[in-house]
Coordinates of all heavy atoms in Angstrom, one line a residue:
D29 N 55.9 -17.6 -55.7 CA 57.4 -17.4 -55.7 C 57.7 -16.3 -54.7 O 57.2 -15.2 -54.7 CB 57.8 -17.1 -57.1 CG 59.4 -17.1 -57.1 OD1 60.0 -16.8 -56.2 OD2 59.8 -17.4 -58.2
E30 N 58.6 -16.7 -53.7 CA 58.9 -15.7 -52.7 C 59.6 -14.5 -53.2 O 59.3 -13.4 -52.7 CB 59.9 -16.4 -51.8 CG 60.4 -15.6 -50.5 CD 61.4 -16.4 -49.7 OE1 61.2 -17.6 -49.5 OE2 62.2 -15.6 -49.1
D31 N 60.3 -14.5 -54.3 CA 61.0 -13.4 -54.9 C 60.1 -12.4 -55.5 O 60.4 -11.2 -55.6 CB 62.0 -13.8 -55.9 CG 63.2 -14.6 -55.3 OD1 63.5 -14.4 -54.1 OD2 63.7 -15.4 -56.0
S32 N 58.8 -12.8 -55.8 CA 57.9 -11.9 -56.4 C 57.1 -11.1 -55.3 O 56.4 -10.2 -55.6 CB 56.8 -12.6 -57.2 OG 56.1 -13.5 -56.4
L33 N 57.4 -11.4 -54.0 CA 56.7 -10.6 -52.9 C 57.5 -9.4 -52.6 O 58.7 -9.3 -52.8 CB 56.8 -11.5 -51.7 CG 55.9 -12.8 -51.6 CD1 56.3 -13.6 -50.4 CD2 54.5 -12.5 -51.8
P34 N 56.8 -8.4 -52.1 CA 57.5 -7.1 -51.7 C 58.5 -7.4 -50.5 O 58.2 -8.4 -49.8 CB 56.4 -6.2 -51.2 CG 55.2 -6.8 -51.7 CD 55.3 -8.3 -52.0
P35 N 59.5 -6.7 -50.4 CA 60.5 -7.0 -49.4 C 59.9 -7.2 -47.9 O 60.3 -8.0 -47.2 CB 61.4 -5.7 -49.3 CG 61.3 -5.2 -50.8 CD 59.9 -5.5 -51.2
D36 N 59.0 -6.4 -47.5 CA 58.3 -6.5 -46.2 C 57.6 -7.8 -46.1 O 57.6 -8.4 -45.0 CB 57.4 -5.3 -45.9 CG 56.2 -5.2 -46.8 OD1 56.4 -5.5 -48.0 OD2 55.2 -4.8 -46.3
K37 N 57.0 -8.2 -47.1 CA 56.3 -9.6 -47.1 C 57.3 -10.7 -47.1 O 57.0 -11.8 -46.5 CB 55.3 -9.7 -48.3 CG 54.2 -8.7 -48.3 CD 53.2 -9.0 -47.0 CE 52.1 -8.0 -47.0 NZ 51.4 -8.1 -45.8
Q38 N 58.4 -10.6 -47.7 CA 59.5 -11.6 -47.7 C 60.0 -11.7 -46.3 O 60.1 -12.9 -45.8 CB 60.6 -11.2 -48.7 CG 60.3 -11.3 -50.2 CD 61.4 -11.0 -51.0 OE1 62.6 -11.0 -50.6 NE2 61.2 -10.6 -52.2
V39 N 60.1 -10.7 -45.6 CA 60.6 -10.7 -44.2 C 59.6 -11.4 -43.3 O 59.9 -12.3 -42.5 CB 60.9 -9.3 -43.7 CG1 61.1 -9.3 -42.2 CG2 62.1 -8.7 -44.4
E40 N 58.3 -11.1 -43.5 CA 57.2 -11.7 -42.8 C 57.2 -13.2 -43.0 O 57.0 -14.0 -42.1 CB 55.8 -11.1 -43.1 CG 55.6 -9.7 -42.5 CD 54.4 -9.2 -43.0 OE1 53.3 -9.9 -43.3 OE2 54.1 -7.9 -43.0
L41 N 57.4 -13.6 -44.3 CA 57.4 -15.0 -44.6 C 58.5 -15.7 -44.0 O 58.3 -16.8 -43.4 CB 57.4 -15.2 -46.1 CG 57.3 -16.6 -46.7 CD1 56.0 -17.4 -46.2 CD2 57.4 -16.6 -48.2
K42 N 59.7 -15.1 -44.1 CA 60.8 -15.7 -43.4 C 60.6 -15.9 -41.9 O 60.9 -17.0 -41.3 CB 62.1 -15.0 -43.7 CG 63.3 -15.7 -43.1 CD 64.6 -14.9 -43.4 CE 65.8 -15.6 -42.9 NZ 65.7 -16.6 -41.8
Q43 N 60.0 -14.9 -41.3 CA 59.8 -15.0 -39.8 C 58.8 -16.1 -39.5 O 58.9 -16.9 -38.6 CB 59.3 -13.6 -39.3 CG 60.4 -12.6 -39.3 CD 59.8 -11.2 -39.0 OE1 58.6 -10.9 -39.1 NE2 60.7 -10.3 -38.6
L44 N 57.8 -16.2 -40.4 CA 56.7 -17.3 -40.1 C 57.3 -18.7 -40.3 O 57.1 -19.5 -39.5 CB 55.6 -17.1 -41.1 CG 54.5 -18.1 -41.1 CD1 53.8 -18.1 -39.8 CD2 53.5 -18.0 -42.3
I45 N 58.2 -18.8 -41.3 CA 58.8 -20.1 -41.5 C 59.8 -20.4 -40.4 O 59.8 -21.6 -39.8 CB 59.7 -20.1 -42.8 CG1 58.7 -20.0 -44.1 CG2 60.6 -21.3 -42.9 CD1 59.4 -19.8 -45.4
D46 N 60.5 -19.4 -39.8 CA 61.4 -19.7 -38.7 C 60.6 -20.0 -37.5 O 61.0 -21.0 -36.7 CB 62.2 -18.4 -38.4 CG 63.3 -18.1 -39.5 OD1 63.6 -19.0 -40.3 OD2 63.9 -17.0 -39.5
R47 N 59.5 -19.4 -37.2 CA 58.7 -19.7 -36.0 C 58.1 -21.1 -36.2 O 58.0 -21.8 -35.2 CB 57.6 -18.7 -35.9 CG 58.0 -17.4 -35.3 CD 56.9 -16.5 -34.8 NE 55.8 -16.3 -35.7 CZ 55.7 -15.3 -36.7 NH1 56.7 -14.4 -36.8 NH2 54.7 -15.3 -37.5
S48 N 57.7 -21.5 -37.4 CA 57.1 -22.8 -37.6 C 58.1 -23.9 -37.4 O 57.8 -24.9 -36.8 CB 56.5 -22.8 -39.1 OG 55.6 -21.9 -39.3
Q49 N 59.3 -23.7 -37.9 CA 60.4 -24.6 -37.7 C 60.7 -24.8 -36.2 O 60.9 -25.9 -35.7 CB 61.6 -24.2 -38.5 CG 61.5 -24.5 -39.9 CD 62.6 -23.9 -40.8 OE1 63.3 -23.0 -40.4 NE2 62.8 -24.5 -42.0
T50 N 60.8 -23.7 -35.5 CA 61.1 -23.7 -34.0 C 59.9 -24.5 -33.3 O 60.3 -25.2 -32.4 CB 61.2 -22.2 -33.5 OG1 62.3 -21.6 -34.1 CG2 61.4 -22.2 -32.0
A51 N 58.7 -24.2 -33.7 CA 57.6 -24.8 -33.1 C 57.7 -26.4 -33.3 O 57.5 -27.1 -32.3 CB 56.3 -24.3 -33.6
V52 N 57.9 -26.8 -34.4 CA 58.0 -28.2 -34.7 C 59.2 -28.9 -34.0 O 59.0 -30.0 -33.4 CB 58.2 -28.6 -36.2 CG1 58.5 -30.0 -36.5 CG2 56.8 -28.1 -36.9
L53 N 60.3 -28.2 -33.9 CA 61.4 -28.7 -33.1 C 61.2 -28.9 -31.6 O 61.8 -29.7 -30.9 CB 62.7 -27.9 -33.3 CG 63.3 -27.9 -34.7 CD1 64.4 -26.8 -34.9 CD2 63.9 -29.3 -35.0
K54 N 60.2 -28.2 -31.1 CA 59.9 -28.2 -29.7 C 58.8 -29.2 -29.4 O 58.5 -29.5 -28.2 CB 59.5 -26.9 -29.1 CG 60.7 -25.9 -29.1 CD 60.3 -24.5 -28.5 CE 61.5 -23.7 -28.5 NZ 61.2 -22.4 -27.8
L55 N 58.3 -29.8 -30.4 CA 57.2 -30.9 -30.2 C 57.9 -32.2 -29.6 O 59.1 -32.4 -29.8 CB 56.5 -31.3 -31.4 CG 55.6 -30.3 -32.1 CD1 55.2 -30.7 -33.5 CD2 54.4 -30.0 -31.2
P56 N 57.1 -33.0 -28.9 CA 57.7 -34.3 -28.4 C 58.2 -35.1 -29.6 O 57.6 -34.9 -30.8 CB 56.5 -35.0 -27.7 CG 55.7 -33.9 -27.3 CD 55.8 -32.8 -28.3
K57 N 59.2 -36.0 -29.5 CA 59.8 -36.6 -30.6 C 58.8 -37.4 -31.5 O 59.0 -37.2 -32.7 CB 60.9 -37.6 -30.1 CG 61.7 -38.3 -31.2 CD 62.8 -39.1 -30.7 CE 63.5 -39.9 -31.9 NZ 63.2 -39.6 -33.3
K58 N 58.0 -38.1 -31.0 CA 57.1 -38.9 -31.8 C 56.1 -38.0 -32.7 O 55.9 -38.3 -33.9 CB 56.3 -39.9 -31.0 CG 57.2 -41.1 -30.5 CD 56.4 -42.2 -30.0 CE 57.2 -43.2 -29.3 NZ 57.7 -44.2 -30.3
E59 N 55.7 -36.9 -32.1 CA 54.9 -36.0 -32.8 C 55.7 -35.2 -33.9 O 55.2 -35.1 -35.0 CB 54.2 -34.9 -31.8 CG 53.3 -35.6 -30.9 CD 52.7 -34.5 -29.9 OE1 52.9 -33.4 -30.1 OE2 52.0 -35.0 -29.0
R60 N 56.9 -34.9 -33.5 CA 57.8 -34.2 -34.5 C 58.1 -35.2 -35.6 O 58.1 -34.8 -36.8 CB 59.1 -33.8 -33.7 CG 60.1 -33.1 -34.6 CD 61.3 -32.5 -33.7 NE 62.0 -33.6 -33.2 CZ 62.2 -33.8 -31.9 NH1 61.6 -33.0 -31.0 NH2 63.0 -34.9 -31.5
D61 N 58.4 -36.4 -35.3 CA 58.7 -37.4 -36.4 C 57.5 -37.5 -37.3 O 57.6 -37.6 -38.5 CB 59.1 -38.7 -35.8 CG 60.4 -38.8 -35.2 OD1 61.2 -37.8 -35.4 OD2 60.7 -39.8 -34.5
A62 N 56.3 -37.6 -36.7 CA 55.0 -37.8 -37.5 C 54.9 -36.6 -38.5 O 54.6 -36.8 -39.7 CB 53.9 -38.0 -36.6
I63 N 55.1 -35.4 -37.9 CA 54.9 -34.2 -38.8 C 56.0 -34.2 -39.8 O 55.8 -34.0 -41.0 CB 55.2 -33.0 -37.9 CG1 53.9 -32.7 -37.0 CG2 55.4 -31.7 -38.8 CD1 52.7 -32.2 -37.6
N64 N 57.2 -34.6 -39.5 CA 58.3 -34.6 -40.5 C 58.1 -35.6 -41.7 O 58.2 -35.3 -42.8 CB 59.7 -34.8 -39.9 CG 60.2 -33.6 -39.1 OD1 59.9 -32.4 -39.6 ND2 61.0 -33.7 -38.1
F65 N 57.7 -36.8 -41.3 CA 57.4 -37.8 -42.2 C 56.2 -37.5 -43.1 O 56.2 -37.6 -44.3 CB 57.3 -39.2 -41.6 CG 58.5 -39.9 -41.1 CD1 58.6 -40.4 -39.8 CD2 59.6 -40.0 -42.0 CE1 59.8 -41.0 -39.4 CE2 60.8 -40.6 -41.5 CZ 60.9 -41.1 -40.3
C66 N 55.2 -37.1 -42.5 CA 53.9 -37.0 -43.2 C 53.7 -35.6 -43.9 O 53.0 -35.6 -44.9 CB 52.7 -37.2 -42.3 SG 52.6 -38.9 -41.6
V67 N 54.3 -34.6 -43.4 CA 54.2 -33.3 -44.0 C 55.5 -33.0 -44.8 O 55.3 -32.7 -46.0 CB 53.9 -32.2 -42.9 CG1 53.8 -30.8 -43.6 CG2 52.7 -32.5 -42.1
A68 N 56.6 -33.0 -44.2 CA 57.8 -32.5 -44.9 C 58.2 -33.5 -45.9 O 58.5 -33.1 -47.1 CB 58.9 -32.4 -43.9
C69 N 58.2 -34.8 -45.6 CA 58.6 -35.9 -46.6 C 57.4 -36.4 -47.5 O 57.6 -37.2 -48.4 CB 59.1 -37.1 -45.8 SG 60.7 -36.6 -44.9
E70 N 56.2 -36.0 -47.1 CA 54.9 -36.4 -47.8 C 54.7 -37.9 -47.9 O 54.3 -38.5 -48.8 CB 55.0 -35.9 -49.2 CG 55.0 -34.3 -49.3 CD 54.9 -33.8 -50.7 OE1 54.9 -34.5 -51.7 OE2 54.9 -32.5 -50.7
F71 N 55.2 -38.6 -46.8 CA 54.9 -40.0 -46.6 C 53.4 -40.2 -46.3 O 52.7 -39.3 -45.7 CB 55.7 -40.6 -45.5 CG 57.2 -40.8 -45.8 CD1 57.8 -40.4 -46.9 CD2 57.9 -41.4 -44.9 CE1 59.1 -40.5 -47.2 CE2 59.3 -41.6 -45.1 CZ 59.9 -41.2 -46.2
T72 N 52.9 -41.4 -46.6 CA 51.6 -41.8 -46.1 C 51.7 -42.1 -44.6 O 52.8 -42.4 -44.1 CB 51.0 -43.0 -46.9 OG1 51.8 -44.1 -46.6 CG2 50.9 -42.7 -48.4
Q73 N 50.6 -42.2 -43.9 CA 50.6 -42.5 -42.5 C 51.2 -44.0 -42.4 O 51.8 -44.3 -41.4 CB 49.3 -42.4 -41.9 CG 48.9 -40.9 -41.7 CD 47.7 -40.7 -41.0 OE1 47.1 -41.5 -40.3 NE2 47.1 -39.5 -41.1
K74 N 50.9 -44.8 -43.4 CA 51.3 -46.2 -43.4 C 52.9 -46.2 -43.5 O 53.5 -46.9 -42.8 CB 50.7 -47.0 -44.5 CG 51.1 -48.4 -44.6 CD 50.4 -49.2 -45.7 CE 50.9 -50.7 -45.6 NZ 50.1 -51.4 -46.7
Q75 N 53.4 -45.4 -44.5 CA 54.8 -45.4 -44.6 C 55.6 -44.8 -43.3 O 56.6 -45.3 -42.9 CB 55.2 -44.5 -45.8 CG 54.8 -45.1 -47.1 CD 55.0 -44.1 -48.3 OE1 54.6 -42.9 -48.1 NE2 55.5 -44.5 -49.4
A76 N 54.9 -43.8 -42.8 CA 55.5 -43.2 -41.6 C 55.5 -44.2 -40.5 O 56.5 -44.3 -39.7 CB 54.7 -41.9 -41.2
A77 N 54.4 -45.0 -40.3 CA 54.4 -46.0 -39.3 C 55.5 -47.1 -39.4 O 56.0 -47.5 -38.4 CB 53.0 -46.7 -39.3
E78 N 55.8 -47.4 -40.6 CA 56.8 -48.4 -40.9 C 58.2 -47.8 -40.4 O 58.9 -48.5 -39.7 CB 56.9 -48.8 -42.4 CG 55.7 -49.6 -42.8 CD 55.7 -49.7 -44.4 OE1 56.7 -49.4 -45.1 OE2 54.7 -50.2 -44.9
Y79 N 58.5 -46.6 -40.8 CA 59.7 -45.9 -40.3 C 59.8 -45.8 -38.7 O 60.8 -45.8 -38.2 CB 59.9 -44.6 -41.0 CG 60.5 -44.8 -42.4 CD1 59.7 -44.8 -43.5 CD2 61.9 -44.9 -42.5 CE1 60.2 -45.0 -44.7 CE2 62.5 -45.0 -43.8 CZ 61.6 -45.1 -44.9 OH 62.1 -45.2 -46.1
M80 N 58.6 -45.4 -38.2 CA 58.5 -45.1 -36.8 C 58.3 -46.4 -35.9 O 58.3 -46.3 -34.7 CB 57.4 -44.1 -36.5 CG 57.6 -42.7 -37.1 SD 56.2 -41.7 -37.0 CE 56.2 -41.4 -35.2
K81 N 58.1 -47.5 -36.6 CA 57.8 -48.8 -35.9 C 56.7 -48.7 -35.0 O 56.8 -49.1 -33.8 CB 59.2 -49.2 -35.2 CG 60.3 -49.5 -36.2 CD 61.5 -50.0 -35.4 CE 62.6 -50.4 -36.3 NZ 62.8 -50.0 -37.6
C82 N 55.6 -48.2 -35.5 CA 54.3 -48.2 -34.7 C 53.1 -48.4 -35.7 O 53.4 -48.7 -36.9 CB 54.2 -46.8 -34.1 SG 54.1 -45.4 -35.1
T83 N 52.0 -48.3 -35.2 CA 50.8 -48.5 -36.0 C 50.4 -47.2 -36.8 O 50.8 -46.1 -36.4 CB 49.6 -48.9 -35.2 OG1 49.3 -47.8 -34.4 CG2 49.9 -50.2 -34.5
E84 N 49.6 -47.4 -37.9 CA 49.1 -46.2 -38.6 C 48.3 -45.4 -37.7 O 48.3 -44.1 -37.7 CB 48.2 -46.6 -39.7 CG 49.1 -47.1 -40.9 CD 48.1 -47.5 -42.0 OE1 47.4 -46.7 -42.6 OE2 48.1 -48.8 -42.4
R85 N 47.5 -46.0 -36.8 CA 46.6 -45.3 -35.8 C 47.5 -44.4 -34.9 O 47.1 -43.3 -34.6 CB 45.8 -46.3 -35.0 CG 44.8 -45.7 -34.1 CD 43.7 -45.0 -34.9 NE 42.9 -44.3 -33.9 CZ 42.2 -43.2 -34.2 NH1 42.1 -42.8 -35.4 NH2 41.5 -42.6 -33.3
S86 N 48.7 -44.9 -34.4 CA 49.5 -44.1 -33.6 C 50.0 -42.9 -34.4 O 50.0 -41.8 -33.8 CB 50.7 -45.0 -33.2 OG 50.3 -46.0 -32.3
V87 N 50.4 -43.1 -35.6 CA 50.9 -41.9 -36.4 C 49.7 -40.9 -36.6 O 50.0 -39.7 -36.3 CB 51.4 -42.4 -37.8 CG1 51.6 -41.2 -38.8 CG2 52.5 -43.3 -37.8
H88 N 48.5 -41.4 -36.8 CA 47.4 -40.5 -36.9 C 47.2 -39.7 -35.6 O 47.0 -38.5 -35.6 CB 46.1 -41.3 -37.2 CG 44.9 -40.5 -37.1 ND1 44.4 -39.7 -38.2 CD2 44.0 -40.3 -36.1 CE1 43.3 -39.0 -37.9 NE2 43.0 -39.4 -36.6
T89 N 47.3 -40.4 -34.4 CA 47.2 -39.7 -33.1 C 48.3 -38.8 -32.9 O 48.1 -37.7 -32.4 CB 47.2 -40.8 -32.0 OG1 46.1 -41.8 -32.2 CG2 47.1 -40.2 -30.7
Y90 N 49.5 -39.1 -33.2 CA 50.7 -38.2 -33.1 C 50.5 -36.9 -33.9 O 50.7 -35.8 -33.5 CB 52.0 -38.8 -33.5 CG 52.4 -40.0 -32.6 CD1 53.0 -41.1 -33.2 CD2 52.2 -40.0 -31.2 CE1 53.4 -42.2 -32.5 CE2 52.6 -41.1 -30.5 CZ 53.1 -42.2 -31.1 OH 53.6 -43.2 -30.3
L91 N 50.0 -37.1 -35.2 CA 49.8 -35.9 -36.0 C 48.7 -35.1 -35.5 O 48.8 -33.8 -35.4 CB 49.3 -36.4 -37.4 CG 50.4 -37.0 -38.3 CD1 49.8 -37.6 -39.5 CD2 51.4 -35.9 -38.7
K92 N 47.6 -35.7 -35.0 CA 46.5 -34.9 -34.5 C 46.9 -34.1 -33.2 O 46.6 -32.9 -33.0 CB 45.3 -35.9 -34.1 CG 44.0 -35.2 -33.6 CD 43.0 -36.2 -33.4 CE 41.7 -35.5 -32.9 NZ 40.7 -36.6 -32.7
S93 N 47.7 -34.8 -32.3 CA 48.2 -34.1 -31.2 C 49.2 -33.0 -31.5 O 49.1 -31.9 -30.9 CB 48.8 -35.1 -30.3 OG 49.3 -34.5 -29.1
A94 N 50.0 -33.3 -32.4 CA 51.1 -32.2 -32.8 C 50.3 -31.0 -33.4 O 50.7 -29.8 -33.0 CB 52.0 -32.8 -33.9
L95 N 49.4 -31.2 -34.3 CA 48.7 -30.1 -34.9 C 47.9 -29.3 -33.9 O 47.8 -28.1 -33.9 CB 47.8 -30.6 -36.1 CG 48.5 -31.1 -37.3 CD1 47.5 -31.8 -38.2 CD2 49.4 -30.1 -37.9
A96 N 47.3 -30.0 -32.9 CA 46.6 -29.3 -31.8 C 47.5 -28.5 -31.0 O 47.2 -27.3 -30.7 CB 45.9 -30.4 -30.9
R97 N 48.7 -29.0 -30.6 CA 49.7 -28.2 -29.9 C 50.2 -27.0 -30.7 O 50.3 -25.9 -30.1 CB 50.9 -29.1 -29.6 CG 50.8 -30.1 -28.6 CD 52.2 -30.8 -28.4 NE 52.0 -32.1 -27.7 CZ 52.1 -32.2 -26.4 NH1 52.3 -31.2 -25.7 NH2 52.0 -33.4 -25.9
L98 N 50.4 -27.2 -32.0 CA 50.8 -26.1 -32.8 C 49.7 -25.0 -32.9 O 50.1 -23.8 -32.8 CB 51.2 -26.5 -34.2 CG 52.5 -27.4 -34.2 CD1 52.7 -28.0 -35.6 CD2 53.8 -26.7 -33.8
R99 N 48.5 -25.4 -33.0 CA 47.4 -24.4 -33.0 C 47.3 -23.6 -31.8 O 47.1 -22.4 -31.7 CB 46.1 -25.1 -33.4 CG 46.0 -25.4 -34.9 CD 44.6 -26.0 -35.1 NE 44.6 -26.6 -36.4 CZ 44.5 -28.0 -36.5 NH1 44.4 -28.8 -35.5 NH2 44.6 -28.5 -37.7
K100 N 47.4 -24.4 -30.6 CA 47.2 -23.7 -29.3 C 48.5 -23.0 -28.9 O 48.4 -22.2 -27.9 CB 46.9 -24.8 -28.3 CG 45.5 -25.4 -28.4 CD 45.3 -26.5 -27.4 CE 45.5 -26.0 -25.9 NZ 45.3 -27.0 -24.9
G101 N 49.6 -23.3 -29.5 CA 50.9 -22.7 -29.0 C 51.5 -23.3 -27.7 O 52.2 -22.6 -27.0
D102 N 51.1 -24.6 -27.6 CA 51.6 -25.3 -26.4 C 53.1 -25.5 -26.5 O 53.7 -25.9 -25.5 CB 50.9 -26.7 -26.3 CG 49.6 -26.6 -25.7 OD1 49.1 -25.5 -25.3 OD2 48.9 -27.6 -25.6
W103 N 53.7 -25.2 -27.6 CA 55.2 -25.4 -27.8 C 55.9 -24.3 -27.2 O 57.1 -24.3 -27.0 CB 55.5 -25.7 -29.2 CG 55.0 -24.5 -30.0 CD1 53.7 -24.4 -30.6 CD2 55.7 -23.4 -30.4 NE1 53.7 -23.3 -31.3 CE2 54.8 -22.6 -31.2 CE3 57.0 -22.9 -30.1 CZ2 55.2 -21.4 -31.7 CZ3 57.4 -21.7 -30.7 CH2 56.4 -20.9 -31.5
C104 N 55.2 -23.2 -27.0 CA 55.9 -21.9 -26.5 C 56.5 -22.1 -25.1 O 55.9 -22.8 -24.3 CB 54.9 -20.8 -26.5 SG 54.3 -20.3 -28.1
E105 N 57.6 -21.4 -24.9 CA 58.1 -21.4 -23.5 C 57.5 -20.3 -22.7 O 57.1 -19.3 -23.1 CB 59.6 -21.2 -23.6 CG 60.3 -22.3 -24.3 CD 61.8 -22.2 -24.3 OE1 62.4 -21.2 -23.9 OE2 62.4 -23.0 -24.9

């Protein structure tokens, strides 16, 4: 629970969440959609593929690419 954290840790957590949201918003659309469907909405890759009108394999590729970009910081300006 966020409220049980000390105030300085609450600030750090909020900053991390803000940076994460900014990073996801800067991803290419298909990668961003894959992350949103599969992570935020907890859809399966099959369900995400139906909404994105692509194959499950494509969703897998978009997720893999998005996560790699986020890890490397390729979304930074």
Side-chain angles (χ1 to χ4, degrees):
D29 188 331
E30 184 180 325
D31 293 332
S32 66
L33 295 172
D36 62 325
K37 294 297 181 188
Q38 288 181 22
V39 170
E40 286 178 27
L41 180 59
K42 182 175 180 347
Q43 290 171 341
L44 176 62
I45 290 168
D46 290 345
R47 284 193 312 269
S48 298
Q49 289 173 334
T50 297
V52 170
L53 289 173
K54 291 184 178 184
L55 290 170
K57 182 173 178 7
K58 291 194 183 273
E59 292 178 13
R60 185 174 62 242
D61 288 348
I63 290 283
N64 284 330
F65 284 129
C66 294
V67 178
C69 297
E70 298 182 0
F71 287 5
T72 65
Q73 289 182 19
K74 181 178 181 176
Q75 291 169 319
E78 290 172 10
Y79 279 93
M80 295 173 66
K81 296 183 180 7
C82 65
T83 65
E84 284 181 65
R85 182 70 186 154
S86 291
V87 172
H88 175 82
T89 301
Y90 297 141
L91 285 170
K92 186 175 177 181
S93 179
L95 292 173
R97 283 181 200 270
L98 292 171
R99 282 187 198 107
K100 286 177 58 180
D102 283 355
W103 56 273
C104 298
E105 294 180 1

